[in-house]
Amino acid sequence: PVTAPLPLPVVFSQIRGAFTALDRKLWLLLLHLEWDNLMSKSKVGEWHEITESELIRIFSKYSGAKDIENIWNSIRRLTRTHVEYQFIEEDERWEASSTLFIGAYKPKQKRDGIIRFMFPPNLVPVILEPGRFARLRVGFLLKLDSKYAVTLYQMLETVANMREPTLEATVEELRAWLKIPDGKLTEWGNIWKFALQPALSEVNKNPDLSGMCVTHE
């Protein structure tokens, strides 16, 4: 299976914006495709490019999505999504905020089939920091429907190959990692019923493709 080095969800302590399932998958997919070019392009302010047809080919193959307008709408949402994160510089810890994504697009009637995008230069060193990423199975990731399943799978892959493959979290840490919006699912019972339990079921639905089977306490 094709695997991608992708940053741990805990890199970003908080995300503000819709950040739908499609948004999460698209961001991770584009990051995977351009991983080796982050320093030579995004870090120096140069655009990455991909064709509409290539994106649709990938999404239709793995998830059945074929509507380019949904992709463009997701790109617009990503440009309005903000993240808070931490980094260390000269032994001092800093807290920072940034947009998650930069996109460029022509008016619909003048499109040429090219999508231009960029990851904010200040985020590139944080994303590339050694030890901050897991390897995700791209085909399985794109088949997931729930936004919480997408993020849960990403979290679980960070511990899947450890000697003790266990992920422990407080309720508040879990809310932050799953990117549950402020004011939503504030009670544990609702988090379990509407976010975590459906996400666990979805991740466990195809262990051959995901490479894992998850239990919980």
Side-chain angles (χ1 to χ4, degrees):
V2 176
T3 62
L6 297 171
L8 308 189
V10 293
V11 170
F12 304 132
S13 58
Q14 186 176 13
I15 290 186
R16 297 187 299 277
F19 210 40
T20 67
L22 177 58
D23 300 347
R24 298 178 193 214
K25 288 189 281 189
L26 179 61
W27 190 84
L28 290 168
L29 175 64
L30 293 176
L31 185 63
H32 156 56
L33 294 174
E34 290 298 311
W35 180 268
D36 292 334
N37 300 321
L38 290 178
M39 289 301 291
S40 61
K41 291 188 175 180
S42 281
K43 188 65 174 70
V44 296
E46 291 190 7
W47 294 106
H48 305 265
E49 289 188 352
I50 189 170
T51 63
E52 293 178 340
S53 60
E54 177 65 6
L55 266 186
I56 289 299
R57 184 191 68 80
I58 295 172
F59 271 98
S60 62
K61 177 179 179 180
Y62 291 105
S63 65
K66 298 180 180 180
D67 190 344
I68 191 60
E69 287 307 313
N70 286 338
I71 298 291
W72 279 111
N73 290 335
S74 180
I75 289 173
R76 293 185 185 96
R77 284 194 300 271
L78 285 171
T79 63
R80 298 192 294 268
T81 300
H82 285 72
V83 297
E84 294 181 4
Y85 63 97
Q86 297 179 346
F87 66 93
I88 296 176
E89 185 177 277
E90 296 180 352
D91 296 328
E92 287 190 316
R93 183 179 297 276
W94 292 75
E95 294 188 357
S97 61
S98 170
T99 57
L100 185 63
F101 190 77
I102 303 169
Y105 34 85
K106 295 179 180 179
K108 183 176 181 179
Q109 61 274 19
K110 294 185 178 181
R111 287 182 192 161
D112 55 6
I114 301 297
I115 295 172
R116 283 186 166 189
F117 61 95
M118 192 185 307
F119 299 92
N122 56 300
L123 283 184
V124 171
V126 178
I127 292 172
L128 290 177
E129 184 177 325
R132 284 207 177 208
F133 56 85
R135 298 202 70 89
L136 308 189
R137 298 186 181 211
V138 177
F140 178 73
L141 174 75
L142 294 180
K143 286 182 180 292
L144 297 173
D145 294 322
S146 160
K147 64 181 181 180
Y148 297 127
V150 172
T151 304
L152 179 66
Y153 168 61
Q154 187 184 4
M155 292 162 52
L156 292 169
E157 275 290 10
T158 67
V159 298
N161 293 314
M162 292 183 177
R163 186 181 298 274
E164 296 289 339
T166 301
L167 190 67
E168 296 184 1
T170 66
V171 173
E172 284 307 309
E173 286 172 335
L174 191 63
R175 283 179 52 83
W177 292 354
L178 290 175
K179 311 299 183 288
I180 297 175
D182 290 340
K184 302 288 186 179
L185 308 182
T186 56
E187 300 295 329
W188 164 248
N190 290 331
I191 296 172
W192 170 252
K193 181 178 180 180
F194 297 110
L196 190 55
Q197 187 178 38
L200 280 168
S201 297
E202 198 172 345
V203 170
N204 277 331
K205 190 181 298 182
N206 194 337
D208 290 336
L209 188 58
S210 69
M212 66 171 68
C213 183
V214 188
T215 60
H216 67 274
E217 295 181 4

